[in-house]
Amino acid sequence: QVQLVESGGGLVQAGGSLRLSCAASGSINRINVMGWYHQAPGKQRELVATITISGTTNYADSVKGRFTISRDNAKNTVYLQMNSLKPEDTAVYYCNAHLISLYGGTYDYWGQGTQVTVSA
């Protein structure tokens, strides 16, 4: 079993910053890709950013230049530094891990979500 525990969400004014963290634990051999997705009310879950085990990153166009994803492979932890936040960034942010289990097989796991609210 694998657990993803997120932290760092909250309420911030437009132009402010937040840092999200997500720690994975459990029967993990290797996490190939970690990422962040968000879901605003009434909308589908969307990609925010991903990072591979080698450090290759990918960002949604809407966050390029404002958000930075990073990871600590030794801690199985991924971070999302969010700067210059806008009201349209308001959403529940979910951590995702695409990993290889200790018992074999490749799986996707999701965190419970953390609310980010940006006031105008």
Side-chain angles (χ1 to χ4, degrees):
Q1 188 71 351
V2 173
Q3 296 82 36
L4 301 182
V5 178
E6 299 149 346
S7 61
L11 173 64
V12 65
Q13 288 187 332
S17 298
L18 283 174
R19 188 185 192 222
L20 306 183
S21 300
C22 172
S25 63
S27 305
I28 300 169
N29 181 333
R30 185 177 73 242
I31 304 179
N32 289 329
V33 183
M34 300 190 82
W36 291 95
Y37 294 72
H38 68 195
Q39 187 168 17
K43 294 188 177 181
Q44 291 187 334
R45 192 173 297 187
E46 298 177 335
L47 168 74
V48 175
T50 60
I51 183 167
T52 68
I53 194 169
S54 60
T56 300
T57 58
N58 179 52
Y59 294 93
D61 288 342
S62 61
V63 306
K64 285 180 180 176
R66 301 188 298 123
F67 292 9
T68 302
I69 190 170
S70 60
R71 65 187 282 178
D72 184 333
N73 291 330
K75 296 181 179 179
N76 285 333
T77 299
V78 64
Y79 306 96
L80 185 68
Q81 178 66 43
M82 304 185 293
N83 298 331
S84 302
L85 282 160
K86 304 175 181 180
E88 51 263 45
D89 295 319
T90 296
V92 177
Y93 283 71
Y94 295 91
C95 173
N96 172 268
H98 183 72
L99 59 87
I100 300 174
S101 167
L102 279 176
Y103 308 109
T106 301
Y107 302 92
D108 269 303
Y109 287 91
W110 292 90
Q112 79 283 1
T114 185
Q115 177 70 46
V116 171
T117 302
V118 184
S119 62

